[in-house]
């Protein structure tokens, strides 16, 4: 049974930084595909970043500002968010699926989702 527990959201001023963490159980963090999606107010879910055994994607709107990393020994994924903008305000979801990175990440590619954490930039 795969479980993703996310933490680290909050409120920050524009230009600030936040890191969200996702602890996985029942899933091979080191070798499996994981990533983040977000849902902004009134919008559909959109990919933020995803990384698998041989591919890493960053959405254009976060490239150069956000960094996705994994610590296999701690079964934890991190999303470091720098230079945050008000338009980054969203609920952020940690996702995992062994085949999620086979193609360009889409919500349907991931079976496992965290409960989400709110990030608010003002």
């Amino acid at each position: 049974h795969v479980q993703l527990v996310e933490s680290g959201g909050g409120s920050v001023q524009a230009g600030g930084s936040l890191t969200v963490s996702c602890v996985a159980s029942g899933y091979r963090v080191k070798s499996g595909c994981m990533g983040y999606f977000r849902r902004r107010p009134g919008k559909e879910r959109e990919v933020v970043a995803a990384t698998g055994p041989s591919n890493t994607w960053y959405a254009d709107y976060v490239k150069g500002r956000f960094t996705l990393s994994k610590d296999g020994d701690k079964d934890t994924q991190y999303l470091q968010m720098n230079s945050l903008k008000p338009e980054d305000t969203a609920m952020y979801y940690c996702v995992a699926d062994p085949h999620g990175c086979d193609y360009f990440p889409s919500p349907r590619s991931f079976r496992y989702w965290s409960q989400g954490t709110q990030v608010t930039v003002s």
Side-chain angles (χ1 to χ4, degrees):
H1 175 66
V2 176
Q3 191 173 19
L4 304 175
V5 179
E6 196 172 3
S7 61
S11 298
V12 67
Q13 291 190 333
S17 299
L18 274 177
T19 299
V20 292
S21 304
C22 176
V23 179
S25 58
Y27 188 79
R28 288 176 168 255
V29 170
K30 207 167 192 175
S31 57
C33 174
M34 295 188 72
Y36 277 90
F37 281 76
R38 70 184 185 186
R39 186 193 293 271
R40 295 184 292 158
K43 304 287 187 182
E44 298 291 323
R45 288 175 298 179
E46 57 188 13
V47 65
V48 174
T51 185
S54 56
N55 310 74
T56 299
W57 290 271
Y58 287 97
D60 286 344
Y61 34 83
V62 305
K63 215 173 273 185
R65 299 188 298 123
F66 290 14
T67 302
L68 185 64
S69 62
K70 294 192 287 185
D71 185 335
D73 293 334
K74 295 182 179 179
D75 293 327
T76 303
Q77 173 180 250
Y78 304 95
L79 182 68
Q80 172 70 41
M81 302 180 286
N82 298 325
S83 303
L84 283 160
K85 305 174 182 180
E87 51 264 43
D88 293 319
T89 294
M91 185 72 80
Y92 283 74
Y93 298 92
C94 169
V95 296
D97 191 290
H99 297 289
C101 296
D102 289 355
Y103 302 98
F104 183 80
S106 72
R108 294 180 183 179
S109 302
F110 292 87
R111 282 176 288 173
Y112 308 112
W113 290 69
S114 69
Q115 80 282 11
T117 188
Q118 178 68 36
V119 172
T120 302
V121 185
S122 60

mmCIF file of all heavy atoms in Angstrom, residues 13-49:
data_model
loop_
_atom_site.group_PDB
_atom_site.id
_atom_site.type_symbol
_atom_site.label_atom_id
_atom_site.label_comp_id
_atom_site.label_asym_id
_atom_site.label_seq_id
_atom_site.Cartn_x
_atom_site.Cartn_y
_atom_site.Cartn_z
ATOM 1 N N GLN A 13 6.082 35.817 1.271
ATOM 2 C CA GLN A 13 5.987 36.993 0.409
ATOM 3 C C GLN A 13 6.638 36.715 -0.937
ATOM 4 O O GLN A 13 7.525 35.856 -1.048
ATOM 5 C CB GLN A 13 6.662 38.181 1.086
ATOM 6 C CG GLN A 13 5.896 38.685 2.303
ATOM 7 C CD GLN A 13 6.445 39.999 2.825
ATOM 8 O OE1 GLN A 13 7.623 40.296 2.636
ATOM 9 N NE2 GLN A 13 5.599 40.768 3.483
ATOM 10 N N ALA A 14 6.209 37.435 -1.936
ATOM 11 C CA ALA A 14 6.776 37.300 -3.273
ATOM 12 C C ALA A 14 8.287 37.480 -3.215
ATOM 13 O O ALA A 14 8.795 38.370 -2.517
ATOM 14 C CB ALA A 14 6.146 38.310 -4.218
ATOM 15 N N GLY A 15 8.978 36.604 -3.937
ATOM 16 C CA GLY A 15 10.431 36.630 -3.921
ATOM 17 C C GLY A 15 11.039 35.707 -2.887
ATOM 18 O O GLY A 15 12.249 35.452 -2.905
ATOM 19 N N GLY A 16 10.208 35.188 -1.997
ATOM 20 C CA GLY A 16 10.686 34.311 -0.942
ATOM 21 C C GLY A 16 10.823 32.867 -1.393
ATOM 22 O O GLY A 16 10.628 32.537 -2.568
ATOM 23 N N SER A 17 11.153 32.003 -0.435
ATOM 24 C CA SER A 17 11.398 30.588 -0.714
ATOM 25 C C SER A 17 10.637 29.695 0.255
ATOM 26 O O SER A 17 10.357 30.083 1.385
ATOM 27 C CB SER A 17 12.897 30.275 -0.585
ATOM 28 O OG SER A 17 13.663 31.017 -1.502
ATOM 29 N N LEU A 18 10.313 28.513 -0.238
ATOM 30 C CA LEU A 18 9.694 27.480 0.579
ATOM 31 C C LEU A 18 10.167 26.134 0.079
ATOM 32 O O LEU A 18 10.473 25.980 -1.112
ATOM 33 C CB LEU A 18 8.163 27.513 0.462
ATOM 34 C CG LEU A 18 7.347 28.438 1.350
ATOM 35 C CD1 LEU A 18 5.871 28.328 0.975
ATOM 36 C CD2 LEU A 18 7.554 28.115 2.821
ATOM 37 N N THR A 19 10.205 25.166 0.977
ATOM 38 C CA THR A 19 10.482 23.785 0.579
ATOM 39 C C THR A 19 9.351 22.897 1.068
ATOM 40 O O THR A 19 8.974 22.974 2.243
ATOM 41 C CB THR A 19 11.805 23.287 1.178
ATOM 42 O OG1 THR A 19 12.873 24.111 0.710
ATOM 43 C CG2 THR A 19 12.079 21.845 0.767
ATOM 44 N N VAL A 20 8.813 22.109 0.168
ATOM 45 C CA VAL A 20 7.821 21.119 0.566
ATOM 46 C C VAL A 20 8.454 19.736 0.486
ATOM 47 O O VAL A 20 9.285 19.477 -0.391
ATOM 48 C CB VAL A 20 6.538 21.186 -0.297
ATOM 49 C CG1 VAL A 20 5.796 22.484 -0.024
ATOM 50 C CG2 VAL A 20 6.847 21.056 -1.753
ATOM 51 N N SER A 21 8.086 18.873 1.416
ATOM 52 C CA SER A 21 8.651 17.531 1.496
ATOM 53 C C SER A 21 7.548 16.493 1.368
ATOM 54 O O SER A 21 6.398 16.753 1.718
ATOM 55 C CB SER A 21 9.354 17.332 2.845
ATOM 56 O OG SER A 21 10.324 18.311 3.058
ATOM 57 N N CYS A 22 7.921 15.333 0.892
ATOM 58 C CA CYS A 22 6.954 14.251 0.706
ATOM 59 C C CYS A 22 7.632 12.948 1.114
ATOM 60 O O CYS A 22 8.609 12.535 0.483
ATOM 61 C CB CYS A 22 6.525 14.203 -0.750
ATOM 62 S SG CYS A 22 5.420 12.833 -1.162
ATOM 63 N N VAL A 23 7.112 12.336 2.157
ATOM 64 C CA VAL A 23 7.635 11.056 2.616
ATOM 65 C C VAL A 23 6.778 9.935 2.048
ATOM 66 O O VAL A 23 5.555 9.947 2.193
ATOM 67 C CB VAL A 23 7.647 10.976 4.155
ATOM 68 C CG1 VAL A 23 8.180 9.622 4.610
ATOM 69 C CG2 VAL A 23 8.502 12.094 4.735
ATOM 70 N N ALA A 24 7.441 8.983 1.398
ATOM 71 C CA ALA A 24 6.727 7.876 0.765
ATOM 72 C C ALA A 24 6.917 6.592 1.551
ATOM 73 O O ALA A 24 8.010 6.310 2.049
ATOM 74 C CB ALA A 24 7.227 7.682 -0.664
ATOM 75 N N SER A 25 5.858 5.834 1.645
ATOM 76 C CA SER A 25 5.957 4.485 2.207
ATOM 77 C C SER A 25 5.356 3.519 1.207
ATOM 78 O O SER A 25 4.406 3.850 0.497
ATOM 79 C CB SER A 25 5.240 4.396 3.553
ATOM 80 O OG SER A 25 3.879 4.744 3.427
ATOM 81 N N GLY A 26 5.953 2.336 1.104
ATOM 82 C CA GLY A 26 5.474 1.344 0.148
ATOM 83 C C GLY A 26 5.844 1.654 -1.294
ATOM 84 O O GLY A 26 5.254 1.098 -2.220
ATOM 85 N N TYR A 27 6.827 2.523 -1.493
ATOM 86 C CA TYR A 27 7.212 2.937 -2.852
ATOM 87 C C TYR A 27 8.717 3.165 -2.901
ATOM 88 O O TYR A 27 9.308 3.695 -1.974
ATOM 89 C CB TYR A 27 6.483 4.233 -3.236
ATOM 90 C CG TYR A 27 6.666 4.630 -4.683
ATOM 91 C CD1 TYR A 27 5.929 4.008 -5.683
ATOM 92 C CD2 TYR A 27 7.570 5.615 -5.050
ATOM 93 C CE1 TYR A 27 6.090 4.362 -7.008
ATOM 94 C CE2 TYR A 27 7.742 5.974 -6.367
ATOM 95 C CZ TYR A 27 7.002 5.353 -7.347
ATOM 96 O OH TYR A 27 7.151 5.697 -8.669
ATOM 97 N N ARG A 28 9.339 2.739 -4.012
ATOM 98 C CA ARG A 28 10.789 2.892 -4.184
ATOM 99 C C ARG A 28 11.103 4.300 -4.659
ATOM 100 O O ARG A 28 11.129 4.580 -5.863
ATOM 101 C CB ARG A 28 11.317 1.881 -5.193
ATOM 102 C CG ARG A 28 11.327 0.474 -4.667
ATOM 103 C CD ARG A 28 11.761 -0.520 -5.754
ATOM 104 N NE ARG A 28 12.050 -1.823 -5.178
ATOM 105 C CZ ARG A 28 13.272 -2.302 -5.002
ATOM 106 N NH1 ARG A 28 14.317 -1.596 -5.377
ATOM 107 N NH2 ARG A 28 13.446 -3.482 -4.466
ATOM 108 N N VAL A 29 11.376 5.173 -3.714
ATOM 109 C CA VAL A 29 11.639 6.573 -4.047
ATOM 110 C C VAL A 29 12.853 6.706 -4.953
ATOM 111 O O VAL A 29 12.865 7.470 -5.915
ATOM 112 C CB VAL A 29 11.840 7.391 -2.757
ATOM 113 C CG1 VAL A 29 12.362 8.789 -3.061
ATOM 114 C CG2 VAL A 29 10.528 7.469 -1.983
ATOM 115 N N LYS A 30 13.893 5.934 -4.659
ATOM 116 C CA LYS A 30 15.165 6.091 -5.379
ATOM 117 C C LYS A 30 15.017 5.805 -6.871
ATOM 118 O O LYS A 30 15.575 6.506 -7.707
ATOM 119 C CB LYS A 30 16.197 5.142 -4.780
ATOM 120 C CG LYS A 30 17.632 5.580 -4.913
ATOM 121 C CD LYS A 30 18.525 4.731 -4.021
ATOM 122 C CE LYS A 30 19.904 5.331 -3.907
ATOM 123 N NZ LYS A 30 20.764 4.594 -2.968
ATOM 124 N N SER A 31 14.271 4.782 -7.221
ATOM 125 C CA SER A 31 14.213 4.353 -8.618
ATOM 126 C C SER A 31 12.897 4.673 -9.301
ATOM 127 O O SER A 31 12.790 4.573 -10.526
ATOM 128 C CB SER A 31 14.469 2.853 -8.725
ATOM 129 O OG SER A 31 13.530 2.148 -7.932
ATOM 130 N N GLY A 32 11.900 5.052 -8.548
ATOM 131 C CA GLY A 32 10.582 5.263 -9.132
ATOM 132 C C GLY A 32 10.364 6.684 -9.588
ATOM 133 O O GLY A 32 11.076 7.606 -9.182
ATOM 134 N N CYS A 33 9.363 6.884 -10.411
ATOM 135 C CA CYS A 33 8.992 8.212 -10.885
ATOM 136 C C CYS A 33 8.188 8.921 -9.802
ATOM 137 O O CYS A 33 7.229 8.362 -9.258
ATOM 138 C CB CYS A 33 8.159 8.100 -12.158
ATOM 139 S SG CYS A 33 7.502 9.680 -12.731
ATOM 140 N N MET A 34 8.594 10.146 -9.511
ATOM 141 C CA MET A 34 7.849 10.978 -8.562
ATOM 142 C C MET A 34 7.837 12.407 -9.065
ATOM 143 O O MET A 34 8.645 12.781 -9.914
ATOM 144 C CB MET A 34 8.490 10.924 -7.169
ATOM 145 C CG MET A 34 8.430 9.571 -6.511
ATOM 146 S SD MET A 34 8.991 9.615 -4.791
ATOM 147 C CE MET A 34 7.624 10.468 -3.984
ATOM 148 N N GLY A 35 6.951 13.210 -8.507
ATOM 149 C CA GLY A 35 6.898 14.594 -8.937
ATOM 150 C C GLY A 35 5.897 15.390 -8.132
ATOM 151 O O GLY A 35 5.443 14.947 -7.069
ATOM 152 N N TYR A 36 5.567 16.567 -8.657
ATOM 153 C CA TYR A 36 4.589 17.444 -8.039
ATOM 154 C C TYR A 36 3.654 17.998 -9.108
ATOM 155 O O TYR A 36 4.092 18.363 -10.211
ATOM 156 C CB TYR A 36 5.260 18.617 -7.325
ATOM 157 C CG TYR A 36 5.751 18.282 -5.941
ATOM 158 C CD1 TYR A 36 7.030 17.801 -5.737
ATOM 159 C CD2 TYR A 36 4.906 18.425 -4.843
ATOM 160 C CE1 TYR A 36 7.465 17.475 -4.464
ATOM 161 C CE2 TYR A 36 5.345 18.102 -3.565
ATOM 162 C CZ TYR A 36 6.623 17.623 -3.382
ATOM 163 O OH TYR A 36 7.052 17.296 -2.120
ATOM 164 N N PHE A 37 2.389 18.063 -8.747
ATOM 165 C CA PHE A 37 1.395 18.813 -9.501
ATOM 166 C C PHE A 37 0.884 19.918 -8.589
ATOM 167 O O PHE A 37 1.098 19.895 -7.380
ATOM 168 C CB PHE A 37 0.236 17.910 -9.922
ATOM 169 C CG PHE A 37 0.544 17.058 -11.109
ATOM 170 C CD1 PHE A 37 1.344 15.938 -10.990
ATOM 171 C CD2 PHE A 37 0.045 17.386 -12.363
ATOM 172 C CE1 PHE A 37 1.646 15.143 -12.094
ATOM 173 C CE2 PHE A 37 0.335 16.603 -13.474
ATOM 174 C CZ PHE A 37 1.131 15.487 -13.335
ATOM 175 N N ARG A 38 0.184 20.867 -9.187
ATOM 176 C CA ARG A 38 -0.463 21.897 -8.386
ATOM 177 C C ARG A 38 -1.805 22.248 -8.993
ATOM 178 O O ARG A 38 -2.035 22.056 -10.186
ATOM 179 C CB ARG A 38 0.419 23.142 -8.269
ATOM 180 C CG ARG A 38 0.576 23.940 -9.549
ATOM 181 C CD ARG A 38 1.552 25.093 -9.340
ATOM 182 N NE ARG A 38 1.629 25.955 -10.527
ATOM 183 C CZ ARG A 38 2.490 26.956 -10.650
ATOM 184 N NH1 ARG A 38 3.350 27.241 -9.664
ATOM 185 N NH2 ARG A 38 2.489 27.694 -11.733
ATOM 186 N N ARG A 39 -2.678 22.752 -8.129
ATOM 187 C CA ARG A 39 -3.955 23.269 -8.603
ATOM 188 C C ARG A 39 -4.083 24.692 -8.095
ATOM 189 O O ARG A 39 -4.216 24.898 -6.874
ATOM 190 C CB ARG A 39 -5.129 22.428 -8.113
ATOM 191 C CG ARG A 39 -6.447 22.870 -8.732
ATOM 192 C CD ARG A 39 -7.628 22.247 -8.016
ATOM 193 N NE ARG A 39 -7.703 20.810 -8.195
ATOM 194 C CZ ARG A 39 -8.341 20.213 -9.204
ATOM 195 N NH1 ARG A 39 -8.919 20.950 -10.139
ATOM 196 N NH2 ARG A 39 -8.405 18.905 -9.270
ATOM 197 N N ARG A 40 -4.030 25.631 -9.026
ATOM 198 C CA ARG A 40 -4.226 27.033 -8.664
ATOM 199 C C ARG A 40 -5.714 27.335 -8.588
ATOM 200 O O ARG A 40 -6.520 26.621 -9.189
ATOM 201 C CB ARG A 40 -3.530 27.922 -9.695
ATOM 202 C CG ARG A 40 -1.999 27.752 -9.684
ATOM 203 C CD ARG A 40 -1.341 28.706 -10.638
ATOM 204 N NE ARG A 40 -1.642 28.399 -12.021
ATOM 205 C CZ ARG A 40 -1.558 29.273 -13.021
ATOM 206 N NH1 ARG A 40 -1.196 30.514 -12.782
ATOM 207 N NH2 ARG A 40 -1.837 28.905 -14.253
ATOM 208 N N PRO A 41 -6.101 28.375 -7.865
ATOM 209 C CA PRO A 41 -7.526 28.689 -7.709
ATOM 210 C C PRO A 41 -8.225 28.815 -9.050
ATOM 211 O O PRO A 41 -7.780 29.585 -9.925
ATOM 212 C CB PRO A 41 -7.507 30.027 -6.959
ATOM 213 C CG PRO A 41 -6.212 30.016 -6.209
ATOM 214 C CD PRO A 41 -5.247 29.289 -7.094
ATOM 215 N N GLY A 42 -9.271 28.039 -9.238
ATOM 216 C CA GLY A 42 -10.070 28.127 -10.458
ATOM 217 C C GLY A 42 -9.429 27.484 -11.674
ATOM 218 O O GLY A 42 -9.946 27.625 -12.789
ATOM 219 N N LYS A 43 -8.319 26.770 -11.489
ATOM 220 C CA LYS A 43 -7.609 26.171 -12.628
ATOM 221 C C LYS A 43 -7.577 24.656 -12.516
ATOM 222 O O LYS A 43 -7.834 24.085 -11.457
ATOM 223 C CB LYS A 43 -6.161 26.695 -12.675
ATOM 224 C CG LYS A 43 -6.020 28.197 -12.739
ATOM 225 C CD LYS A 43 -6.395 28.741 -14.096
ATOM 226 C CE LYS A 43 -6.085 30.223 -14.196
ATOM 227 N NZ LYS A 43 -6.486 30.778 -15.505
ATOM 228 N N GLU A 44 -7.228 24.017 -13.625
ATOM 229 C CA GLU A 44 -7.032 22.571 -13.618
ATOM 230 C C GLU A 44 -5.667 22.228 -13.000
ATOM 231 O O GLU A 44 -4.786 23.088 -12.915
ATOM 232 C CB GLU A 44 -7.088 22.036 -15.055
ATOM 233 C CG GLU A 44 -8.412 22.257 -15.757
ATOM 234 C CD GLU A 44 -9.504 21.405 -15.153
ATOM 235 O OE1 GLU A 44 -9.219 20.259 -14.765
ATOM 236 O OE2 GLU A 44 -10.645 21.911 -15.053
ATOM 237 N N ARG A 45 -5.507 20.978 -12.625
ATOM 238 C CA ARG A 45 -4.207 20.539 -12.128
ATOM 239 C C ARG A 45 -3.173 20.676 -13.235
ATOM 240 O O ARG A 45 -3.459 20.396 -14.410
ATOM 241 C CB ARG A 45 -4.290 19.084 -11.681
ATOM 242 C CG ARG A 45 -5.065 18.872 -10.396
ATOM 243 C CD ARG A 45 -5.195 17.405 -10.080
ATOM 244 N NE ARG A 45 -5.943 16.679 -11.108
ATOM 245 C CZ ARG A 45 -6.183 15.375 -11.066
ATOM 246 N NH1 ARG A 45 -5.687 14.648 -10.065
ATOM 247 N NH2 ARG A 45 -6.872 14.794 -12.021
ATOM 248 N N GLU A 46 -1.970 21.065 -12.869
ATOM 249 C CA GLU A 46 -0.897 21.208 -13.848
ATOM 250 C C GLU A 46 0.397 20.649 -13.253
ATOM 251 O O GLU A 46 0.613 20.710 -12.035
ATOM 252 C CB GLU A 46 -0.702 22.681 -14.238
ATOM 253 C CG GLU A 46 -0.414 23.620 -13.083
ATOM 254 C CD GLU A 46 -0.414 25.085 -13.485
ATOM 255 O OE1 GLU A 46 -0.873 25.420 -14.586
ATOM 256 O OE2 GLU A 46 0.064 25.911 -12.673
ATOM 257 N N VAL A 47 1.230 20.124 -14.123
ATOM 258 C CA VAL A 47 2.486 19.557 -13.656
ATOM 259 C C VAL A 47 3.419 20.679 -13.227
ATOM 260 O O VAL A 47 3.460 21.750 -13.830
ATOM 261 C CB VAL A 47 3.133 18.681 -14.751
ATOM 262 C CG1 VAL A 47 3.544 19.508 -15.955
ATOM 263 C CG2 VAL A 47 4.301 17.903 -14.189
ATOM 264 N N VAL A 48 4.176 20.426 -12.173
ATOM 265 C CA VAL A 48 5.227 21.343 -11.731
ATOM 266 C C VAL A 48 6.575 20.762 -12.139
ATOM 267 O O VAL A 48 7.367 21.401 -12.824
ATOM 268 C CB VAL A 48 5.161 21.550 -10.208
ATOM 269 C CG1 VAL A 48 6.342 22.386 -9.728
ATOM 270 C CG2 VAL A 48 3.843 22.191 -9.808
ATOM 271 N N ALA A 49 6.824 19.533 -11.722
ATOM 272 C CA ALA A 49 8.085 18.857 -12.046
ATOM 273 C C ALA A 49 7.921 17.372 -11.782
ATOM 274 O O ALA A 49 7.082 16.961 -10.985
ATOM 275 C CB ALA A 49 9.230 19.407 -11.215
#
